[in-house]
Amino acid sequence: MKHFFLRSLIALSLILVVFWGMQSCKPKGAQSAVSGDAAEKAYVAPGKYDEFYDFVSGGFSGQMSVYGLPSGRLFRVIPVFSVDPEKGYGYSEETKAMLNTSHGFVPWDDLHHIALSETNGIQDGRWVFGNGNNTPRIARVDLKTFRTAEIIEIPNSAGNHSSPFITENSEYVVAGTRFSVPMDNSNGDVPISSYKQNFKGTVSFIHIDTSGRMNIAFQILLPGVNFDLARAGKGKSHGWVFFSCYNSEKANTLLEVNASQKDKDFILCVNWKKAEEYVKAGKAQKRSVAYAHNIYDENKHMATSEIEKEVLMLDPKDCPDMVYLMPCPKSPHGCDTDPTGEYIVGSGKLAATIPVFSFTKIQKAIADKNFDGDYDGIPVLKYEAVLHGEVQKPGLGPLHTEFDDNGNAYTSFFISSEIVKWNVKDLKVLDRVPTYYSVGHLSVPGGPTRKPWGKYVIAYNKITKDRYLPTGPELAQSAQLYDISGDKMKLILDFPTIGEPHYAEAIPAELISKNSQKIYKIEDNQNPYAAKGDKYARVERKGNEVHVYITAIRSHFNPDNIEGVKLGDIVYFHVTNLEQDWDIPHGFAVKGANNAELLIMPGETQTLAWKPERTGVFPIYCTDFCSALHQEMQGYIRVSTAGSNVPMIWSMGKNAAPIAENK
Ligand code: RUQ
Ligand code: CUA
């Protein structure tokens, strides 16, 4: 025991020395690393469009941001898992249900990975998916509207990190649990020290139908390890998904040391076509669970949340030939498949080589039963039998790999702060460039697909240090754009990002821009609280609820004078934007509301709930500068004492009159 501790401590201090040592040794020549024609290459003239959209995860901001490449200009922050007062997301009555979970309303999450939908292994521009790490969820954003259209919670999971990676025809997005936990239908109230008996891992396959609608098709019950990242096979390996995992030691404390004991952990290979057959053959067990499924209805302009009650669980014990483990050195992180689908690149966070596996060899090893025993009953393939080769001396601490359209791979190295380019077939290192500093993910447009578009690689860095003007203790995290069109990678641009960028995916602009929606048609508005014209503007009392059906058009609200609200009432402002013009949202805010604003798109209805806490007259106004007379787009609402007999009256353009006179 003593020995174990001593050894662990030595190992830990060694790791830390290497780690911090490398981190603080910053690459030299940060200025001279920029190529002479950089400005020209990243320059997009005013009025000109960028060539690519870049969807960047926001990490602990819970959102997704959209940039243009090569300019690095920020176009939009799409609210996904976090409330966003700028857009009223999670504040308006219509959007609150999007953030519902089996734990109730969860207004934040940690979004790490991006997956653009694909057809035939090629990006198609329909949807982009993102994962919520903390309270396991997957979101689908509709790229016609750049709005979160659906969020599904993942049961039997905790720390939804190896997610949402997509199969080549968008059949599934996958989700692997980072934290193994007691299963939802078991008694979870167990000693943490009973980890090895009671804690399990799962991977989930979330089916996507042609309309984009998600549902959890099945889960696979797995040993209690930590699933980290994943990639679907493509081409010849279509039908398989590869998940990296660490902590095959099954440690439940001081993982830093205890989960770094073994020389190799695993990459899990899942044959999902086989899994589908087992589900069809009735081999899956129904497990009762509870998870939220939230859908935003574009016509109703409203989200609904349902709690689903059941999931299908496949146990590898009943399903031979469905899952295999492949040894992978030194705490694997990234696990990436090349455009041909033949090569699977593993990355050990503490490794000094990059192992590359061959799909053909994996198939042969399976056929020959070339196993190295099993792990909890799952056959372990022999390392040498499935290895295509190792990239020698690439750098220190490989994390993630992307591919270009010329058979090259680009791997990020966190510890040695660099991107290394190497040839996938002969595994020769071709080029290396420093990153500023400590790159995590990297991305080539189309890099994870069968058809990379190439041109650039973007580094998403964890540490910014001296790259920008100081802004107090926290600095914006940073992305760096490199031109990869020649033999040598060339740094051409730095741009700051929002939250912490983890993964990102870029896609040619025209695949999305041509379908971009400009307005919501007012005649299609099915929100039950819509007022689709001035004649529907009104105020209705229902007990202590006051419903204000309000219209907005340049540059007034109707009604804009309201009286008769009493303390104890809840006022619902249902605001319909009557505009039918692109880029003319109206905003709506009321003084003192414990809420956010609304930002209402043309043709849309959104509702703000307000519980007045004091008597008086409260201004309401439009928050988005919509016309020359935007400042005139304002009004008042009067709140009286609970017992008052001020009549309920409203008006616009003349002084308030009793209800009878308004009719
Ligand atoms: S991770 S820096 Cu959360 Cu994708 Cu690798
Ligand atoms: Cu409407 Cu400003």
Side-chain angles (χ1 to χ4, degrees), residues 585-587 622-627 630 633:
H586 291 288
C622 171
T623 53
D624 187 330
F625 208 107
C626 50
S627 73
H630 153 81
M633 196 162 176

Side-chain angles (χ1 to χ4, degrees), residues 112-113 161 229 333 399-400 440-441 462 502:
H112 281 213
H113 304 125
H161 194 262
L229 285 142
H333 188 58
L399 289 186
H400 299 281
H441 276 275
K462 301 297 185 193
H502 288 258

